[in-house]
Amino acid sequence: MSDCLFCKIAKKEIPSEVVYEDESFFAFKDINPQAPVHVLVIPKEHFATVNDLEDTNLAGGLVIKAKEIAKKLGVDQKGYRFVLNCLADAGQEVFHVHGHLLAGRKFTWPPG
Ligand code: 5GP
Ligand code: ZN
């Protein structure tokens, strides 16, 4: 989608600190990190919200990529959180599906 921030980041039209890339997925550091590790994992294909995801391989792939990135960053054994914010009540601000991989500190539950 031409006017989508994360599509532009995935195409490297806008710079980011790239953590991982393959044919279908892209991961980069969040510009405003909420934890020592805060990586955004996105499908390269544009979907506005989780509500628009139909492809099981793509949805599942997002979680598998998060797991692999957590391992690559050395946080897989200590623990991490993988968060998908969908629409207004969840605080979604960028309308291209993205999972927040957060790690490197202790998180509280329930989330605020
Ligand atoms: P949301 O609230 O939509 O789930 O999360 C959007 C996330 O994107 C936020 O954590 C925000 O800091 C991050 N973000 C917004 N604009 C940019 C940007 O231009 N570059 C990067 N790397 N992250 C961004
Ligand atoms: Zn997009």
Tab-separated table of all heavy atoms in Angstrom, residues 5-6 9 14-17 28-34 38 40 84-85 90-95 98 100, ligand 1:
chain	number	residue	atom	x	y	z
A	5	LEU	N	3.167	3.575	6.210
A	5	LEU	CA	4.498	3.733	6.796
A	5	LEU	C	5.271	2.410	6.827
A	5	LEU	O	6.447	2.356	6.439
A	5	LEU	CB	4.347	4.295	8.222
A	5	LEU	CG	5.602	4.380	9.075
A	5	LEU	CD1	6.608	5.355	8.463
A	5	LEU	CD2	5.246	4.796	10.504
A	6	PHE	N	4.616	1.342	7.287
A	6	PHE	CA	5.354	0.082	7.443
A	6	PHE	C	5.609	-0.601	6.097
A	6	PHE	O	6.609	-1.312	5.940
A	6	PHE	CB	4.638	-0.846	8.427
A	6	PHE	CG	4.826	-0.437	9.878
A	6	PHE	CD1	5.560	0.684	10.232
A	6	PHE	CD2	4.254	-1.191	10.910
A	6	PHE	CE1	5.729	1.071	11.560
A	6	PHE	CE2	4.420	-0.822	12.248
A	6	PHE	CZ	5.157	0.306	12.573
A	9	ILE	N	8.715	1.111	5.104
A	9	ILE	CA	9.857	0.597	5.871
A	9	ILE	C	10.287	-0.767	5.322
A	9	ILE	O	11.479	-1.026	5.135
A	9	ILE	CB	9.520	0.548	7.375
A	9	ILE	CG1	9.530	1.990	7.943
A	9	ILE	CG2	10.498	-0.346	8.139
A	9	ILE	CD1	9.146	2.108	9.405
A	14	ILE	N	11.893	4.004	3.649
A	14	ILE	CA	12.137	4.738	4.895
A	14	ILE	C	13.107	3.878	5.697
A	14	ILE	O	12.896	2.666	5.827
A	14	ILE	CB	10.819	4.970	5.672
A	14	ILE	CG1	9.931	5.951	4.914
A	14	ILE	CG2	11.088	5.457	7.094
A	14	ILE	CD1	8.571	6.172	5.529
A	15	PRO	N	14.181	4.478	6.219
A	15	PRO	CA	15.186	3.671	6.927
A	15	PRO	C	14.690	3.145	8.270
A	15	PRO	O	13.843	3.772	8.921
A	15	PRO	CB	16.357	4.637	7.120
A	15	PRO	CG	15.798	6.000	6.947
A	15	PRO	CD	14.565	5.896	6.111
A	16	SER	N	15.210	1.993	8.645
A	16	SER	CA	14.928	1.427	9.966
A	16	SER	C	16.122	0.559	10.333
A	16	SER	O	16.968	0.260	9.481
A	16	SER	CB	13.646	0.587	9.947
A	16	SER	OG	13.846	-0.586	9.179
A	17	GLU	N	16.185	0.171	11.601
A	17	GLU	CA	17.226	-0.750	12.043
A	17	GLU	C	16.704	-2.168	11.832
A	17	GLU	O	15.925	-2.681	12.645
A	17	GLU	CB	17.568	-0.509	13.515
A	17	GLU	CG	18.362	0.763	13.725
A	17	GLU	CD	18.880	0.873	15.150
A	17	GLU	OE1	19.769	0.085	15.545
A	17	GLU	OE2	18.377	1.744	15.871
A	28	PHE	N	12.124	-5.032	12.467
A	28	PHE	CA	12.965	-3.852	12.677
A	28	PHE	C	12.733	-3.305	14.072
A	28	PHE	O	11.697	-3.551	14.699
A	28	PHE	CB	12.656	-2.787	11.614
A	28	PHE	CG	11.205	-2.379	11.529
A	28	PHE	CD1	10.763	-1.181	12.084
A	28	PHE	CD2	10.259	-3.204	10.914
A	28	PHE	CE1	9.422	-0.806	12.024
A	28	PHE	CE2	8.913	-2.842	10.845
A	28	PHE	CZ	8.506	-1.641	11.398
A	29	LYS	N	13.720	-2.535	14.567
A	29	LYS	CA	13.620	-2.002	15.926
A	29	LYS	C	12.563	-0.900	16.002
A	29	LYS	O	12.508	-0.035	15.108
A	29	LYS	CB	14.980	-1.460	16.378
A	29	LYS	CG	15.999	-2.549	16.610
A	29	LYS	CD	17.263	-1.978	17.234
A	29	LYS	CE	18.331	-3.060	17.359
A	29	LYS	NZ	19.596	-2.537	17.867
A	30	ASP	N	11.778	-0.936	17.067
A	30	ASP	CA	10.786	0.120	17.287
A	30	ASP	C	11.515	1.442	17.557
A	30	ASP	O	12.520	1.488	18.278
A	30	ASP	CB	9.890	-0.245	18.473
A	30	ASP	CG	8.631	0.598	18.523
A	30	ASP	OD1	8.728	1.814	18.792
A	30	ASP	OD2	7.539	0.049	18.279
A	31	ILE	N	10.982	2.520	16.999
A	31	ILE	CA	11.619	3.837	17.129
A	31	ILE	C	11.497	4.388	18.556
A	31	ILE	O	12.284	5.238	18.969
A	31	ILE	CB	10.994	4.807	16.087
A	31	ILE	CG1	11.949	5.936	15.739
A	31	ILE	CG2	9.656	5.357	16.559
A	31	ILE	CD1	11.541	6.721	14.502
A	32	ASN	N	10.524	3.876	19.303
A	32	ASN	CA	10.267	4.348	20.672
A	32	ASN	C	10.178	3.137	21.601
A	32	ASN	O	9.100	2.759	22.062
A	32	ASN	CB	8.966	5.158	20.678
A	32	ASN	CG	8.645	5.730	22.031
A	32	ASN	OD1	9.537	5.922	22.868
A	32	ASN	ND2	7.368	5.995	22.277
A	33	PRO	N	11.341	2.501	21.866
A	33	PRO	CA	11.320	1.199	22.545
A	33	PRO	C	10.753	1.242	23.961
A	33	PRO	O	11.063	2.145	24.727
A	33	PRO	CB	12.798	0.787	22.563
A	33	PRO	CG	13.565	2.035	22.336
A	33	PRO	CD	12.705	2.953	21.537
A	34	GLN	N	9.940	0.247	24.265
A	34	GLN	CA	9.315	0.122	25.586
A	34	GLN	C	10.004	-0.928	26.447
A	34	GLN	O	9.537	-1.235	27.554
A	34	GLN	CB	7.826	-0.236	25.413
A	34	GLN	CG	7.035	0.779	24.609
A	34	GLN	CD	7.089	2.166	25.228
A	34	GLN	OE1	6.854	2.328	26.414
A	34	GLN	NE2	7.409	3.176	24.425
A	38	HIS	N	12.852	-4.299	21.695
A	38	HIS	CA	11.515	-3.966	21.184
A	38	HIS	C	11.606	-3.964	19.665
A	38	HIS	O	12.056	-2.998	19.048
A	38	HIS	CB	11.033	-2.608	21.710
A	38	HIS	CG	9.602	-2.316	21.381
A	38	HIS	ND1	8.894	-1.265	21.934
A	38	HIS	CD2	8.720	-2.952	20.564
A	38	HIS	CE1	7.654	-1.259	21.472
A	38	HIS	NE2	7.527	-2.271	20.615
A	40	LEU	N	9.619	-4.830	15.960
A	40	LEU	CA	8.329	-4.982	15.290
A	40	LEU	C	8.481	-6.013	14.178
A	40	LEU	O	9.400	-5.903	13.356
A	40	LEU	CB	7.871	-3.640	14.716
A	40	LEU	CG	7.700	-2.521	15.745
A	40	LEU	CD1	7.390	-1.191	15.057
A	40	LEU	CD2	6.607	-2.866	16.749
A	84	LEU	N	0.070	-8.214	19.752
A	84	LEU	CA	-0.594	-7.709	18.548
A	84	LEU	C	-1.714	-6.777	18.992
A	84	LEU	O	-2.674	-7.225	19.628
A	84	LEU	CB	-1.186	-8.870	17.744
A	84	LEU	CG	-0.185	-9.838	17.105
A	84	LEU	CD1	-0.843	-11.191	16.850
A	84	LEU	CD2	0.355	-9.275	15.801
A	85	ASN	N	-1.582	-5.496	18.725
A	85	ASN	CA	-2.628	-4.537	19.070
A	85	ASN	C	-3.588	-4.411	17.888
A	85	ASN	O	-3.148	-4.133	16.776
A	85	ASN	CB	-2.021	-3.163	19.371
A	85	ASN	CG	-1.172	-3.173	20.628
A	85	ASN	OD1	-1.466	-3.890	21.574
A	85	ASN	ND2	-0.105	-2.383	20.628
A	90	ALA	N	-7.140	-1.295	21.790
A	90	ALA	CA	-5.806	-1.885	22.028
A	90	ALA	C	-4.688	-0.874	21.784
A	90	ALA	O	-3.523	-1.177	22.026
A	90	ALA	CB	-5.621	-3.109	21.141
A	91	GLY	N	-5.049	0.305	21.271
A	91	GLY	CA	-4.051	1.352	21.055
A	91	GLY	C	-3.286	1.222	19.753
A	91	GLY	O	-2.179	1.753	19.632
A	92	GLN	N	-3.875	0.526	18.759
A	92	GLN	CA	-3.173	0.411	17.473
A	92	GLN	C	-3.060	1.786	16.818
A	92	GLN	O	-4.065	2.499	16.685
A	92	GLN	CB	-3.911	-0.558	16.535
A	92	GLN	CG	-3.140	-0.782	15.225
A	92	GLN	CD	-3.819	-1.771	14.284
A	92	GLN	OE1	-4.912	-2.272	14.551
A	92	GLN	NE2	-3.162	-2.034	13.166
A	93	GLU	N	-1.844	2.134	16.435
A	93	GLU	CA	-1.592	3.454	15.826
A	93	GLU	C	-1.162	3.350	14.372
A	93	GLU	O	-1.408	4.266	13.592
A	93	GLU	CB	-0.513	4.200	16.620
A	93	GLU	CG	-1.018	4.671	17.974
A	93	GLU	CD	0.051	5.371	18.799
A	93	GLU	OE1	1.234	5.330	18.403
A	93	GLU	OE2	-0.319	5.937	19.839
A	94	VAL	N	-0.505	2.256	14.032
A	94	VAL	CA	-0.064	2.063	12.643
A	94	VAL	C	-0.880	0.916	12.054
A	94	VAL	O	-0.882	-0.203	12.590
A	94	VAL	CB	1.448	1.740	12.574
A	94	VAL	CG1	1.871	1.494	11.132
A	94	VAL	CG2	2.266	2.884	13.175
A	95	PHE	N	-1.559	1.219	10.933
A	95	PHE	CA	-2.505	0.251	10.394
A	95	PHE	C	-1.871	-0.602	9.294
A	95	PHE	O	-2.308	-0.611	8.144
A	95	PHE	CB	-3.796	0.968	9.974
A	95	PHE	CG	-4.553	1.386	11.210
A	95	PHE	CD1	-4.269	2.591	11.831
A	95	PHE	CD2	-5.458	0.522	11.808
A	95	PHE	CE1	-4.900	2.947	13.016
A	95	PHE	CE2	-6.094	0.863	12.993
A	95	PHE	CZ	-5.816	2.078	13.595
A	98	HIS	N	1.374	-5.634	12.774
A	98	HIS	CA	2.727	-5.764	13.333
A	98	HIS	C	2.627	-6.377	14.719
A	98	HIS	O	1.742	-6.045	15.498
A	98	HIS	CB	3.432	-4.414	13.405
A	98	HIS	CG	2.654	-3.350	14.126
A	98	HIS	ND1	1.632	-2.659	13.516
A	98	HIS	CD2	2.731	-2.884	15.386
A	98	HIS	CE1	1.112	-1.800	14.389
A	98	HIS	NE2	1.757	-1.921	15.531
A	100	HIS	N	4.606	-6.787	18.334
A	100	HIS	CA	5.675	-6.207	19.150
A	100	HIS	C	6.377	-7.337	19.895
A	100	HIS	O	5.765	-7.994	20.746
A	100	HIS	CB	5.096	-5.262	20.213
A	100	HIS	CG	4.389	-4.062	19.670
A	100	HIS	ND1	4.942	-2.793	19.699
A	100	HIS	CD2	3.167	-3.917	19.101
A	100	HIS	CE1	4.085	-1.934	19.185
A	100	HIS	NE2	2.998	-2.578	18.816
B	1	5GP	P1	0.896	0.212	17.615
B	1	5GP	O1	0.519	1.195	18.695
B	1	5GP	O2	0.260	0.563	16.291
B	1	5GP	O3	0.676	-1.210	18.015
B	1	5GP	O4	2.466	0.347	17.460
B	1	5GP	C1	3.087	1.125	16.503
B	1	5GP	C2	4.552	1.137	16.864
B	1	5GP	O5	5.283	1.642	15.758
B	1	5GP	C3	4.900	2.033	18.060
B	1	5GP	O6	5.523	1.259	19.077
B	1	5GP	C4	5.835	3.087	17.472
B	1	5GP	O7	6.866	3.472	18.361
B	1	5GP	C5	6.356	2.413	16.219
B	1	5GP	N1	6.686	3.324	15.148
B	1	5GP	C6	5.922	4.346	14.689
B	1	5GP	N2	6.538	4.977	13.675
B	1	5GP	C7	7.730	4.330	13.498
B	1	5GP	C8	8.804	4.528	12.574
B	1	5GP	O8	8.798	5.411	11.706
B	1	5GP	N3	9.864	3.677	12.683
B	1	5GP	C9	9.913	2.678	13.611
B	1	5GP	N4	10.995	1.923	13.633
B	1	5GP	N5	8.912	2.470	14.481
B	1	5GP	C10	7.825	3.284	14.422
